[in-house]
Amino acid sequence: MGLLSNILKAVAGKAISEVEAAINNAVSEKTRPTIREAAPQQSYSDEVPERTAAEWKTYFREILQCEYPALAIRENVPVTEIAGFVADEFQLYTTRPRQVYKAEWGQPYTFVLYEGASPKAVVMLGSGHSHDSNVKYLIARMYAKKCGLPYINFYTQMPNERSYVVSRLKKFM
């Protein structure tokens, strides 16, 4: 590279730094290994505030009250209060067609937003992605869907910054 650099200096004058940079870039591209290292997993532990379940509920309650002041908010609402004690039962798993699930077996809704006496939306908080596959949450989600209610879930191990929470709420409602 030294010889090439000397030749280029003699020929190009002022623009030599640009030519050298281009050559260096080309050489470094060719000498880089083609196998890329896996990107490090993003860790939310530094970003997620340490909050208890009660603190998360308080945080979301304040956001809901601020963003939807005209709606009443109820907490820990049993699925049966929304869906009733229904005679028809969902069969959530096609692999177990004989096993049926009833509304009263569902996870209580963390928050239900009401306009007058009618529910308008459901907000669920869950700790971990496993709450998406937990049968109680699945039952709660299925009955919310059956009743035509938006079902909005949040994972409490994620940052859940206020702007993110508000944008998701507006998207679903």
Side-chain angles (χ1 to χ4, degrees), residues 53-65 72-77 82 108-114 121-125 149-152 154 169:
E55 289 171 332
W56 276 114
K57 281 181 125 177
T58 301
Y59 175 72
F60 276 89
R61 184 183 318 107
E62 290 171 357
I63 292 174
L64 292 169
Q65 288 171 339
I73 300 168
R74 296 211 28 239
E75 296 180 32
N76 298 322
V77 178
I82 303 295
Y109 298 118
T110 310
F111 298 102
V112 177
L113 300 158
Y114 287 88
V122 170
V123 177
M124 291 291 275
L125 302 181
L149 298 174
Y151 178 94
I152 312 154
F154 293 94
L169 290 169

PDB file of all heavy atoms in Angstrom, residues 53-65 72-77 82 108-114 121-125 149-152 154 169:
ATOM      1  N   ALA A  53     -46.135  -4.946  40.877  1.00  0.00           N
ATOM      2  CA  ALA A  53     -47.406  -5.070  40.157  1.00  0.00           C
ATOM      3  C   ALA A  53     -48.331  -3.908  40.512  1.00  0.00           C
ATOM      4  O   ALA A  53     -49.011  -3.349  39.641  1.00  0.00           O
ATOM      5  CB  ALA A  53     -48.069  -6.406  40.477  1.00  0.00           C
ATOM      6  N   ALA A  54     -48.337  -3.509  41.772  1.00  0.00           N
ATOM      7  CA  ALA A  54     -49.183  -2.389  42.203  1.00  0.00           C
ATOM      8  C   ALA A  54     -48.722  -1.078  41.571  1.00  0.00           C
ATOM      9  O   ALA A  54     -49.556  -0.249  41.179  1.00  0.00           O
ATOM     10  CB  ALA A  54     -49.169  -2.273  43.718  1.00  0.00           C
ATOM     11  N   GLU A  55     -47.424  -0.891  41.445  1.00  0.00           N
ATOM     12  CA  GLU A  55     -46.906   0.338  40.828  1.00  0.00           C
ATOM     13  C   GLU A  55     -47.238   0.381  39.335  1.00  0.00           C
ATOM     14  O   GLU A  55     -47.540   1.446  38.793  1.00  0.00           O
ATOM     15  CB  GLU A  55     -45.394   0.440  41.045  1.00  0.00           C
ATOM     16  CG  GLU A  55     -45.012   0.731  42.477  1.00  0.00           C
ATOM     17  CD  GLU A  55     -43.526   0.615  42.743  1.00  0.00           C
ATOM     18  OE1 GLU A  55     -42.834  -0.165  42.049  1.00  0.00           O
ATOM     19  OE2 GLU A  55     -43.055   1.314  43.656  1.00  0.00           O
ATOM     20  N   TRP A  56     -47.179  -0.779  38.658  1.00  0.00           N
ATOM     21  CA  TRP A  56     -47.568  -0.820  37.246  1.00  0.00           C
ATOM     22  C   TRP A  56     -49.037  -0.462  37.094  1.00  0.00           C
ATOM     23  O   TRP A  56     -49.406   0.294  36.193  1.00  0.00           O
ATOM     24  CB  TRP A  56     -47.315  -2.199  36.632  1.00  0.00           C
ATOM     25  CG  TRP A  56     -45.914  -2.397  36.160  1.00  0.00           C
ATOM     26  CD1 TRP A  56     -44.995  -3.268  36.658  1.00  0.00           C
ATOM     27  CD2 TRP A  56     -45.250  -1.708  35.084  1.00  0.00           C
ATOM     28  NE1 TRP A  56     -43.810  -3.160  35.964  1.00  0.00           N
ATOM     29  CE2 TRP A  56     -43.944  -2.215  34.991  1.00  0.00           C
ATOM     30  CE3 TRP A  56     -45.650  -0.708  34.200  1.00  0.00           C
ATOM     31  CZ2 TRP A  56     -43.030  -1.757  34.043  1.00  0.00           C
ATOM     32  CZ3 TRP A  56     -44.738  -0.251  33.253  1.00  0.00           C
ATOM     33  CH2 TRP A  56     -43.452  -0.774  33.189  1.00  0.00           C
ATOM     34  N   LYS A  57     -49.884  -0.988  37.975  1.00  0.00           N
ATOM     35  CA  LYS A  57     -51.314  -0.675  37.897  1.00  0.00           C
ATOM     36  C   LYS A  57     -51.550   0.816  38.106  1.00  0.00           C
ATOM     37  O   LYS A  57     -52.341   1.440  37.399  1.00  0.00           O
ATOM     38  CB  LYS A  57     -52.094  -1.486  38.926  1.00  0.00           C
ATOM     39  CG  LYS A  57     -52.338  -2.905  38.507  1.00  0.00           C
ATOM     40  CD  LYS A  57     -53.122  -3.619  39.572  1.00  0.00           C
ATOM     41  CE  LYS A  57     -54.342  -4.201  38.946  1.00  0.00           C
ATOM     42  NZ  LYS A  57     -55.150  -4.983  39.878  1.00  0.00           N
ATOM     43  N   THR A  58     -50.858   1.407  39.067  1.00  0.00           N
ATOM     44  CA  THR A  58     -50.984   2.840  39.323  1.00  0.00           C
ATOM     45  C   THR A  58     -50.545   3.638  38.098  1.00  0.00           C
ATOM     46  O   THR A  58     -51.215   4.589  37.692  1.00  0.00           O
ATOM     47  CB  THR A  58     -50.146   3.246  40.553  1.00  0.00           C
ATOM     48  OG1 THR A  58     -50.605   2.496  41.681  1.00  0.00           O
ATOM     49  CG2 THR A  58     -50.235   4.725  40.835  1.00  0.00           C
ATOM     50  N   TYR A  59     -49.431   3.246  37.497  1.00  0.00           N
ATOM     51  CA  TYR A  59     -48.891   3.912  36.311  1.00  0.00           C
ATOM     52  C   TYR A  59     -49.916   3.883  35.171  1.00  0.00           C
ATOM     53  O   TYR A  59     -50.228   4.911  34.562  1.00  0.00           O
ATOM     54  CB  TYR A  59     -47.590   3.218  35.893  1.00  0.00           C
ATOM     55  CG  TYR A  59     -46.978   3.707  34.613  1.00  0.00           C
ATOM     56  CD1 TYR A  59     -46.368   4.957  34.538  1.00  0.00           C
ATOM     57  CD2 TYR A  59     -46.982   2.912  33.469  1.00  0.00           C
ATOM     58  CE1 TYR A  59     -45.782   5.394  33.355  1.00  0.00           C
ATOM     59  CE2 TYR A  59     -46.405   3.338  32.293  1.00  0.00           C
ATOM     60  CZ  TYR A  59     -45.810   4.588  32.241  1.00  0.00           C
ATOM     61  OH  TYR A  59     -45.245   5.020  31.066  1.00  0.00           O
ATOM     62  N   PHE A  60     -50.473   2.711  34.887  1.00  0.00           N
ATOM     63  CA  PHE A  60     -51.452   2.590  33.802  1.00  0.00           C
ATOM     64  C   PHE A  60     -52.767   3.279  34.154  1.00  0.00           C
ATOM     65  O   PHE A  60     -53.393   3.886  33.294  1.00  0.00           O
ATOM     66  CB  PHE A  60     -51.673   1.120  33.444  1.00  0.00           C
ATOM     67  CG  PHE A  60     -50.648   0.597  32.482  1.00  0.00           C
ATOM     68  CD1 PHE A  60     -49.473   0.036  32.937  1.00  0.00           C
ATOM     69  CD2 PHE A  60     -50.856   0.689  31.119  1.00  0.00           C
ATOM     70  CE1 PHE A  60     -48.518  -0.432  32.053  1.00  0.00           C
ATOM     71  CE2 PHE A  60     -49.904   0.223  30.221  1.00  0.00           C
ATOM     72  CZ  PHE A  60     -48.727  -0.337  30.689  1.00  0.00           C
ATOM     73  N   ARG A  61     -53.188   3.195  35.394  1.00  0.00           N
ATOM     74  CA  ARG A  61     -54.423   3.862  35.817  1.00  0.00           C
ATOM     75  C   ARG A  61     -54.322   5.366  35.564  1.00  0.00           C
ATOM     76  O   ARG A  61     -55.247   5.979  35.035  1.00  0.00           O
ATOM     77  CB  ARG A  61     -54.702   3.595  37.296  1.00  0.00           C
ATOM     78  CG  ARG A  61     -56.029   4.183  37.784  1.00  0.00           C
ATOM     79  CD  ARG A  61     -56.279   3.969  39.280  1.00  0.00           C
ATOM     80  NE  ARG A  61     -55.926   2.652  39.767  1.00  0.00           N
ATOM     81  CZ  ARG A  61     -54.855   2.381  40.536  1.00  0.00           C
ATOM     82  NH1 ARG A  61     -54.040   3.352  40.914  1.00  0.00           N
ATOM     83  NH2 ARG A  61     -54.611   1.149  40.940  1.00  0.00           N
ATOM     84  N   GLU A  62     -53.185   5.963  35.922  1.00  0.00           N
ATOM     85  CA  GLU A  62     -52.992   7.404  35.712  1.00  0.00           C
ATOM     86  C   GLU A  62     -53.036   7.763  34.231  1.00  0.00           C
ATOM     87  O   GLU A  62     -53.630   8.772  33.848  1.00  0.00           O
ATOM     88  CB  GLU A  62     -51.672   7.851  36.341  1.00  0.00           C
ATOM     89  CG  GLU A  62     -51.694   7.833  37.852  1.00  0.00           C
ATOM     90  CD  GLU A  62     -50.328   8.070  38.490  1.00  0.00           C
ATOM     91  OE1 GLU A  62     -49.321   8.203  37.754  1.00  0.00           O
ATOM     92  OE2 GLU A  62     -50.265   8.115  39.728  1.00  0.00           O
ATOM     93  N   ILE A  63     -52.419   6.945  33.389  1.00  0.00           N
ATOM     94  CA  ILE A  63     -52.445   7.203  31.948  1.00  0.00           C
ATOM     95  C   ILE A  63     -53.877   7.103  31.424  1.00  0.00           C
ATOM     96  O   ILE A  63     -54.340   7.965  30.668  1.00  0.00           O
ATOM     97  CB  ILE A  63     -51.513   6.235  31.195  1.00  0.00           C
ATOM     98  CG1 ILE A  63     -50.056   6.538  31.545  1.00  0.00           C
ATOM     99  CG2 ILE A  63     -51.740   6.321  29.689  1.00  0.00           C
ATOM    100  CD1 ILE A  63     -49.062   5.543  30.975  1.00  0.00           C
ATOM    101  N   LEU A  64     -54.589   6.058  31.810  1.00  0.00           N
ATOM    102  CA  LEU A  64     -55.967   5.877  31.345  1.00  0.00           C
ATOM    103  C   LEU A  64     -56.864   7.021  31.804  1.00  0.00           C
ATOM    104  O   LEU A  64     -57.679   7.532  31.020  1.00  0.00           O
ATOM    105  CB  LEU A  64     -56.518   4.535  31.835  1.00  0.00           C
ATOM    106  CG  LEU A  64     -55.889   3.285  31.223  1.00  0.00           C
ATOM    107  CD1 LEU A  64     -56.324   2.034  31.986  1.00  0.00           C
ATOM    108  CD2 LEU A  64     -56.229   3.175  29.754  1.00  0.00           C
ATOM    109  N   GLN A  65     -56.716   7.443  33.050  1.00  0.00           N
ATOM    110  CA  GLN A  65     -57.534   8.545  33.565  1.00  0.00           C
ATOM    111  C   GLN A  65     -57.228   9.842  32.838  1.00  0.00           C
ATOM    112  O   GLN A  65     -58.131  10.624  32.552  1.00  0.00           O
ATOM    113  CB  GLN A  65     -57.304   8.723  35.069  1.00  0.00           C
ATOM    114  CG  GLN A  65     -57.913   7.623  35.896  1.00  0.00           C
ATOM    115  CD  GLN A  65     -57.501   7.688  37.362  1.00  0.00           C
ATOM    116  OE1 GLN A  65     -56.490   8.296  37.720  1.00  0.00           O
ATOM    117  NE2 GLN A  65     -58.284   7.038  38.219  1.00  0.00           N
ATOM    118  N   ALA A  72     -65.263   5.701  32.567  1.00  0.00           N
ATOM    119  CA  ALA A  72     -65.051   5.147  33.902  1.00  0.00           C
ATOM    120  C   ALA A  72     -64.084   3.973  33.785  1.00  0.00           C
ATOM    121  O   ALA A  72     -64.092   3.240  32.792  1.00  0.00           O
ATOM    122  CB  ALA A  72     -66.372   4.680  34.496  1.00  0.00           C
ATOM    123  N   ILE A  73     -63.250   3.795  34.792  1.00  0.00           N
ATOM    124  CA  ILE A  73     -62.263   2.720  34.778  1.00  0.00           C
ATOM    125  C   ILE A  73     -62.529   1.808  35.967  1.00  0.00           C
ATOM    126  O   ILE A  73     -62.627   2.271  37.106  1.00  0.00           O
ATOM    127  CB  ILE A  73     -60.832   3.288  34.872  1.00  0.00           C
ATOM    128  CG1 ILE A  73     -60.565   4.221  33.692  1.00  0.00           C
ATOM    129  CG2 ILE A  73     -59.811   2.162  34.927  1.00  0.00           C
ATOM    130  CD1 ILE A  73     -59.316   5.048  33.843  1.00  0.00           C
ATOM    131  N   ARG A  74     -62.639   0.520  35.677  1.00  0.00           N
ATOM    132  CA  ARG A  74     -62.778  -0.474  36.740  1.00  0.00           C
ATOM    133  C   ARG A  74     -61.608  -1.430  36.657  1.00  0.00           C
ATOM    134  O   ARG A  74     -61.107  -1.704  35.565  1.00  0.00           O
ATOM    135  CB  ARG A  74     -64.095  -1.236  36.594  1.00  0.00           C
ATOM    136  CG  ARG A  74     -65.280  -0.300  36.772  1.00  0.00           C
ATOM    137  CD  ARG A  74     -66.546  -0.876  37.363  1.00  0.00           C
ATOM    138  NE  ARG A  74     -66.389  -1.994  38.255  1.00  0.00           N
ATOM    139  CZ  ARG A  74     -66.954  -3.187  38.044  1.00  0.00           C
ATOM    140  NH1 ARG A  74     -67.691  -3.406  36.987  1.00  0.00           N
ATOM    141  NH2 ARG A  74     -66.792  -4.170  38.917  1.00  0.00           N
ATOM    142  N   GLU A  75     -61.192  -1.943  37.805  1.00  0.00           N
ATOM    143  CA  GLU A  75     -60.042  -2.839  37.852  1.00  0.00           C
ATOM    144  C   GLU A  75     -60.445  -4.241  38.289  1.00  0.00           C
ATOM    145  O   GLU A  75     -61.427  -4.422  39.008  1.00  0.00           O
ATOM    146  CB  GLU A  75     -58.999  -2.290  38.825  1.00  0.00           C
ATOM    147  CG  GLU A  75     -58.432  -0.959  38.393  1.00  0.00           C
ATOM    148  CD  GLU A  75     -57.399  -0.421  39.353  1.00  0.00           C
ATOM    149  OE1 GLU A  75     -56.676  -1.216  39.993  1.00  0.00           O
ATOM    150  OE2 GLU A  75     -57.321   0.810  39.486  1.00  0.00           O
ATOM    151  N   ASN A  76     -59.643  -5.205  37.848  1.00  0.00           N
ATOM    152  CA  ASN A  76     -59.830  -6.612  38.204  1.00  0.00           C
ATOM    153  C   ASN A  76     -61.269  -7.081  37.953  1.00  0.00           C
ATOM    154  O   ASN A  76     -61.909  -7.665  38.822  1.00  0.00           O
ATOM    155  CB  ASN A  76     -59.429  -6.870  39.652  1.00  0.00           C
ATOM    156  CG  ASN A  76     -57.963  -6.566  39.870  1.00  0.00           C
ATOM    157  OD1 ASN A  76     -57.130  -6.840  39.016  1.00  0.00           O
ATOM    158  ND2 ASN A  76     -57.655  -5.983  41.013  1.00  0.00           N
ATOM    159  N   VAL A  77     -61.739  -6.825  36.769  1.00  0.00           N
ATOM    160  CA  VAL A  77     -63.114  -7.168  36.395  1.00  0.00           C
ATOM    161  C   VAL A  77     -63.156  -8.624  35.924  1.00  0.00           C
ATOM    162  O   VAL A  77     -62.448  -8.997  34.989  1.00  0.00           O
ATOM    163  CB  VAL A  77     -63.625  -6.224  35.281  1.00  0.00           C
ATOM    164  CG1 VAL A  77     -65.025  -6.603  34.853  1.00  0.00           C
ATOM    165  CG2 VAL A  77     -63.549  -4.782  35.731  1.00  0.00           C
ATOM    166  N   ILE A  82     -68.378  -9.240  32.039  1.00  0.00           N
ATOM    167  CA  ILE A  82     -68.484  -8.720  30.671  1.00  0.00           C
ATOM    168  C   ILE A  82     -69.262  -9.711  29.797  1.00  0.00           C
ATOM    169  O   ILE A  82     -70.188  -9.343  29.092  1.00  0.00           O
ATOM    170  CB  ILE A  82     -67.084  -8.478  30.062  1.00  0.00           C
ATOM    171  CG1 ILE A  82     -66.261  -7.526  30.929  1.00  0.00           C
ATOM    172  CG2 ILE A  82     -67.188  -7.988  28.633  1.00  0.00           C
ATOM    173  CD1 ILE A  82     -66.780  -6.131  31.026  1.00  0.00           C
ATOM    174  N   PRO A 108     -59.097 -12.346  35.297  1.00  0.00           N
ATOM    175  CA  PRO A 108     -59.827 -11.074  35.406  1.00  0.00           C
ATOM    176  C   PRO A 108     -59.117  -9.975  34.605  1.00  0.00           C
ATOM    177  O   PRO A 108     -57.890  -9.919  34.559  1.00  0.00           O
ATOM    178  CB  PRO A 108     -59.807 -10.772  36.898  1.00  0.00           C
ATOM    179  CG  PRO A 108     -59.603 -12.100  37.549  1.00  0.00           C
ATOM    180  CD  PRO A 108     -58.745 -12.891  36.594  1.00  0.00           C
ATOM    181  N   TYR A 109     -59.912  -9.124  33.985  1.00  0.00           N
ATOM    182  CA  TYR A 109     -59.346  -8.021  33.199  1.00  0.00           C
ATOM    183  C   TYR A 109     -58.709  -7.018  34.152  1.00  0.00           C
ATOM    184  O   TYR A 109     -59.322  -6.610  35.134  1.00  0.00           O
ATOM    185  CB  TYR A 109     -60.439  -7.338  32.375  1.00  0.00           C
ATOM    186  CG  TYR A 109     -61.082  -8.263  31.357  1.00  0.00           C
ATOM    187  CD1 TYR A 109     -62.430  -8.558  31.428  1.00  0.00           C
ATOM    188  CD2 TYR A 109     -60.335  -8.825  30.331  1.00  0.00           C
ATOM    189  CE1 TYR A 109     -63.024  -9.404  30.489  1.00  0.00           C
ATOM    190  CE2 TYR A 109     -60.922  -9.667  29.403  1.00  0.00           C
ATOM    191  CZ  TYR A 109     -62.262  -9.955  29.484  1.00  0.00           C
ATOM    192  OH  TYR A 109     -62.844 -10.787  28.567  1.00  0.00           O
ATOM    193  N   THR A 110     -57.488  -6.591  33.842  1.00  0.00           N
ATOM    194  CA  THR A 110     -56.790  -5.641  34.699  1.00  0.00           C
ATOM    195  C   THR A 110     -57.562  -4.334  34.761  1.00  0.00           C
ATOM    196  O   THR A 110     -57.803  -3.797  35.838  1.00  0.00           O
ATOM    197  CB  THR A 110     -55.357  -5.394  34.191  1.00  0.00           C
ATOM    198  OG1 THR A 110     -54.716  -6.649  33.970  1.00  0.00           O
ATOM    199  CG2 THR A 110     -54.560  -4.595  35.203  1.00  0.00           C
ATOM    200  N   PHE A 111     -57.949  -3.813  33.592  1.00  0.00           N
ATOM    201  CA  PHE A 111     -58.747  -2.584  33.514  1.00  0.00           C
ATOM    202  C   PHE A 111     -59.830  -2.778  32.453  1.00  0.00           C
ATOM    203  O   PHE A 111     -59.570  -3.345  31.401  1.00  0.00           O
ATOM    204  CB  PHE A 111     -57.898  -1.381  33.091  1.00  0.00           C
ATOM    205  CG  PHE A 111     -56.797  -1.018  34.027  1.00  0.00           C
ATOM    206  CD1 PHE A 111     -55.481  -1.375  33.758  1.00  0.00           C
ATOM    207  CD2 PHE A 111     -57.061  -0.300  35.189  1.00  0.00           C
ATOM    208  CE1 PHE A 111     -54.464  -1.037  34.614  1.00  0.00           C
ATOM    209  CE2 PHE A 111     -56.039   0.042  36.054  1.00  0.00           C
ATOM    210  CZ  PHE A 111     -54.745  -0.333  35.771  1.00  0.00           C
ATOM    211  N   VAL A 112     -61.001  -2.267  32.749  1.00  0.00           N
ATOM    212  CA  VAL A 112     -62.064  -2.191  31.744  1.00  0.00           C
ATOM    213  C   VAL A 112     -62.527  -0.747  31.723  1.00  0.00           C
ATOM    214  O   VAL A 112     -62.809  -0.154  32.762  1.00  0.00           O
ATOM    215  CB  VAL A 112     -63.245  -3.137  32.067  1.00  0.00           C
ATOM    216  CG1 VAL A 112     -64.351  -2.973  31.028  1.00  0.00           C
ATOM    217  CG2 VAL A 112     -62.780  -4.582  32.122  1.00  0.00           C
ATOM    218  N   LEU A 113     -62.581  -0.177  30.527  1.00  0.00           N
ATOM    219  CA  LEU A 113     -63.041   1.200  30.345  1.00  0.00           C
ATOM    220  C   LEU A 113     -64.521   1.158  29.982  1.00  0.00           C
ATOM    221  O   LEU A 113     -64.919   0.448  29.051  1.00  0.00           O
ATOM    222  CB  LEU A 113     -62.237   1.874  29.232  1.00  0.00           C
ATOM    223  CG  LEU A 113     -60.730   1.942  29.511  1.00  0.00           C
ATOM    224  CD1 LEU A 113     -59.950   2.091  28.228  1.00  0.00           C
ATOM    225  CD2 LEU A 113     -60.442   3.077  30.441  1.00  0.00           C
ATOM    226  N   TYR A 114     -65.307   1.917  30.711  1.00  0.00           N
ATOM    227  CA  TYR A 114     -66.760   1.933  30.515  1.00  0.00           C
ATOM    228  C   TYR A 114     -67.219   3.307  30.072  1.00  0.00           C
ATOM    229  O   TYR A 114     -66.729   4.326  30.553  1.00  0.00           O
ATOM    230  CB  TYR A 114     -67.484   1.618  31.826  1.00  0.00           C
ATOM    231  CG  TYR A 114     -67.415   0.186  32.262  1.00  0.00           C
ATOM    232  CD1 TYR A 114     -66.364  -0.273  33.044  1.00  0.00           C
ATOM    233  CD2 TYR A 114     -68.414  -0.704  31.916  1.00  0.00           C
ATOM    234  CE1 TYR A 114     -66.301  -1.587  33.463  1.00  0.00           C
ATOM    235  CE2 TYR A 114     -68.372  -2.028  32.330  1.00  0.00           C
ATOM    236  CZ  TYR A 114     -67.308  -2.459  33.105  1.00  0.00           C
ATOM    237  OH  TYR A 114     -67.260  -3.770  33.514  1.00  0.00           O
ATOM    238  N   ALA A 121     -63.497  -1.008  26.256  1.00  0.00           N
ATOM    239  CA  ALA A 121     -62.178  -1.595  25.966  1.00  0.00           C
ATOM    240  C   ALA A 121     -61.656  -2.312  27.193  1.00  0.00           C
ATOM    241  O   ALA A 121     -62.054  -2.017  28.326  1.00  0.00           O
ATOM    242  CB  ALA A 121     -61.195  -0.520  25.528  1.00  0.00           C
ATOM    243  N   VAL A 122     -60.745  -3.246  26.933  1.00  0.00           N
ATOM    244  CA  VAL A 122     -60.098  -4.019  27.981  1.00  0.00           C
ATOM    245  C   VAL A 122     -58.601  -3.784  27.894  1.00  0.00           C
ATOM    246  O   VAL A 122     -58.032  -3.815  26.804  1.00  0.00           O
ATOM    247  CB  VAL A 122     -60.395  -5.524  27.786  1.00  0.00           C
ATOM    248  CG1 VAL A 122     -59.547  -6.372  28.703  1.00  0.00           C
ATOM    249  CG2 VAL A 122     -61.865  -5.810  27.969  1.00  0.00           C
ATOM    250  N   VAL A 123     -57.947  -3.538  29.030  1.00  0.00           N
ATOM    251  CA  VAL A 123     -56.497  -3.405  29.092  1.00  0.00           C
ATOM    252  C   VAL A 123     -55.989  -4.459  30.067  1.00  0.00           C
ATOM    253  O   VAL A 123     -56.440  -4.532  31.203  1.00  0.00           O
ATOM    254  CB  VAL A 123     -56.070  -1.990  29.557  1.00  0.00           C
ATOM    255  CG1 VAL A 123     -54.550  -1.904  29.693  1.00  0.00           C
ATOM    256  CG2 VAL A 123     -56.576  -0.928  28.594  1.00  0.00           C
ATOM    257  N   MET A 124     -55.048  -5.273  29.574  1.00  0.00           N
ATOM    258  CA  MET A 124     -54.477  -6.332  30.407  1.00  0.00           C
ATOM    259  C   MET A 124     -52.984  -6.088  30.597  1.00  0.00           C
ATOM    260  O   MET A 124     -52.288  -5.730  29.650  1.00  0.00           O
ATOM    261  CB  MET A 124     -54.667  -7.697  29.747  1.00  0.00           C
ATOM    262  CG  MET A 124     -56.090  -8.178  29.701  1.00  0.00           C
ATOM    263  SD  MET A 124     -56.758  -8.607  31.300  1.00  0.00           S
ATOM    264  CE  MET A 124     -56.188 -10.279  31.430  1.00  0.00           C
ATOM    265  N   LEU A 125     -52.524  -6.304  31.824  1.00  0.00           N
ATOM    266  CA  LEU A 125     -51.104  -6.252  32.131  1.00  0.00           C
ATOM    267  C   LEU A 125     -50.645  -7.669  32.406  1.00  0.00           C
ATOM    268  O   LEU A 125     -51.340  -8.429  33.084  1.00  0.00           O
ATOM    269  CB  LEU A 125     -50.842  -5.383  33.362  1.00  0.00           C
ATOM    270  CG  LEU A 125     -51.317  -3.932  33.300  1.00  0.00           C
ATOM    271  CD1 LEU A 125     -50.949  -3.207  34.582  1.00  0.00           C
ATOM    272  CD2 LEU A 125     -50.745  -3.218  32.096  1.00  0.00           C
ATOM    273  N   LEU A 149     -64.977  -6.105  22.110  1.00  0.00           N
ATOM    274  CA  LEU A 149     -64.170  -5.116  22.833  1.00  0.00           C
ATOM    275  C   LEU A 149     -62.710  -5.177  22.391  1.00  0.00           C
ATOM    276  O   LEU A 149     -62.163  -6.275  22.242  1.00  0.00           O
ATOM    277  CB  LEU A 149     -64.223  -5.388  24.341  1.00  0.00           C
ATOM    278  CG  LEU A 149     -65.588  -5.285  24.992  1.00  0.00           C
ATOM    279  CD1 LEU A 149     -65.506  -5.736  26.445  1.00  0.00           C
ATOM    280  CD2 LEU A 149     -66.101  -3.862  24.902  1.00  0.00           C
ATOM    281  N   PRO A 150     -62.088  -4.023  22.207  1.00  0.00           N
ATOM    282  CA  PRO A 150     -60.640  -4.041  21.951  1.00  0.00           C
ATOM    283  C   PRO A 150     -59.924  -4.619  23.168  1.00  0.00           C
ATOM    284  O   PRO A 150     -60.229  -4.266  24.307  1.00  0.00           O
ATOM    285  CB  PRO A 150     -60.277  -2.565  21.768  1.00  0.00           C
ATOM    286  CG  PRO A 150     -61.560  -1.852  21.549  1.00  0.00           C
ATOM    287  CD  PRO A 150     -62.631  -2.671  22.189  1.00  0.00           C
ATOM    288  N   TYR A 151     -58.991  -5.526  22.934  1.00  0.00           N
ATOM    289  CA  TYR A 151     -58.200  -6.160  23.986  1.00  0.00           C
ATOM    290  C   TYR A 151     -56.774  -5.682  23.803  1.00  0.00           C
ATOM    291  O   TYR A 151     -56.129  -6.005  22.809  1.00  0.00           O
ATOM    292  CB  TYR A 151     -58.288  -7.678  23.848  1.00  0.00           C
ATOM    293  CG  TYR A 151     -57.482  -8.458  24.853  1.00  0.00           C
ATOM    294  CD1 TYR A 151     -58.067  -8.919  26.028  1.00  0.00           C
ATOM    295  CD2 TYR A 151     -56.148  -8.766  24.629  1.00  0.00           C
ATOM    296  CE1 TYR A 151     -57.352  -9.656  26.945  1.00  0.00           C
ATOM    297  CE2 TYR A 151     -55.422  -9.505  25.542  1.00  0.00           C
ATOM    298  CZ  TYR A 151     -56.027  -9.945  26.695  1.00  0.00           C
ATOM    299  OH  TYR A 151     -55.308 -10.677  27.606  1.00  0.00           O
ATOM    300  N   ILE A 152     -56.280  -4.877  24.732  1.00  0.00           N
ATOM    301  CA  ILE A 152     -54.952  -4.281  24.621  1.00  0.00           C
ATOM    302  C   ILE A 152     -54.105  -4.826  25.760  1.00  0.00           C
ATOM    303  O   ILE A 152     -54.428  -4.612  26.930  1.00  0.00           O
ATOM    304  CB  ILE A 152     -55.030  -2.744  24.702  1.00  0.00           C
ATOM    305  CG1 ILE A 152     -56.122  -2.226  23.768  1.00  0.00           C
ATOM    306  CG2 ILE A 152     -53.684  -2.112  24.394  1.00  0.00           C
ATOM    307  CD1 ILE A 152     -56.701  -0.901  24.176  1.00  0.00           C
ATOM    308  N   PHE A 154     -50.249  -5.334  27.655  1.00  0.00           N
ATOM    309  CA  PHE A 154     -48.923  -4.755  27.857  1.00  0.00           C
ATOM    310  C   PHE A 154     -48.102  -5.702  28.711  1.00  0.00           C
ATOM    311  O   PHE A 154     -48.624  -6.292  29.663  1.00  0.00           O
ATOM    312  CB  PHE A 154     -49.019  -3.393  28.555  1.00  0.00           C
ATOM    313  CG  PHE A 154     -49.664  -2.332  27.721  1.00  0.00           C
ATOM    314  CD1 PHE A 154     -51.025  -2.086  27.840  1.00  0.00           C
ATOM    315  CD2 PHE A 154     -48.939  -1.586  26.817  1.00  0.00           C
ATOM    316  CE1 PHE A 154     -51.645  -1.110  27.076  1.00  0.00           C
ATOM    317  CE2 PHE A 154     -49.546  -0.613  26.040  1.00  0.00           C
ATOM    318  CZ  PHE A 154     -50.898  -0.372  26.173  1.00  0.00           C
ATOM    319  N   LEU A 169     -52.968   2.610  22.892  1.00  0.00           N
ATOM    320  CA  LEU A 169     -54.365   2.790  23.294  1.00  0.00           C
ATOM    321  C   LEU A 169     -55.168   3.446  22.172  1.00  0.00           C
ATOM    322  O   LEU A 169     -56.268   3.008  21.833  1.00  0.00           O
ATOM    323  CB  LEU A 169     -54.466   3.621  24.565  1.00  0.00           C
ATOM    324  CG  LEU A 169     -53.970   2.953  25.849  1.00  0.00           C
ATOM    325  CD1 LEU A 169     -53.870   3.968  26.981  1.00  0.00           C
ATOM    326  CD2 LEU A 169     -54.870   1.796  26.234  1.00  0.00           C
TER     327      LEU A 169
END
